[in-house]
Amino acid sequence: SYSEYQKYAKNYGNYDTTQMNCLINLWNKESGWNPNDVNKSSGACGIPQAYPCKKIKQVEGSNDWKAQIRWGIKYISYRYKTPCGAWSYWTKHHWY
């Protein structure tokens, strides 16, 4: 079953099970779905590992976990179209 964060992402992104599984894999690798995660080497932060970290608040007006998920889904949609597109890229490059 999905965590509260994953349920929010599934609903916000309107994802089917396949896309949701890709998103779970991606963000498990990036942050473990931890909204307080900060990559010490890059400075990327939050569930989607935004860089620079301030991008989330600039776009969403907040940096809470819901804002992080919304920002991450918009980023994926813009850059990779789908979570599976982002996950495919991640598996080759270990970043997205």
Side-chain angles (χ1 to χ4, degrees):
S1 83
Y2 297 127
S3 73
E4 182 181 10
Y5 297 169
Q6 292 165 351
K7 282 183 190 145
Y8 184 81
K10 186 177 192 316
N11 291 333
Y12 184 81
N14 194 29
Y15 295 141
D16 64 17
T17 303
T18 300
Q19 293 300 324
M20 200 54 212
N21 286 339
C22 289
L23 186 68
I24 289 169
N25 289 338
L26 179 68
W27 287 352
N28 279 349
K29 293 287 189 184
E30 286 291 309
S31 66
W33 291 78
N34 177 357
N36 302 309
D37 188 67
V38 177
N39 181 311
K40 287 175 183 47
S41 62
S42 73
C45 78
I47 294 168
Q49 290 292 284
Y51 179 81
C53 195
K54 64 184 178 186
K55 278 184 181 177
I56 296 170
K57 189 163 187 175
Q58 286 171 339
V59 172
E60 296 297 328
S62 171
N63 196 34
D64 66 10
W65 66 266
K66 288 182 178 180
Q68 292 177 25
I69 288 169
R70 289 192 307 269
W71 183 90
I73 287 172
K74 289 172 186 172
Y75 171 77
I76 288 167
S77 296
Y78 173 76
R79 183 142 188 215
Y80 302 99
K81 304 294 183 241
T82 65
C84 289
W87 175 237
S88 175
Y89 187 91
W90 195 98
T91 62
K92 293 176 186 78
H93 303 276
H94 302 285
W95 64 274
Y96 80 113

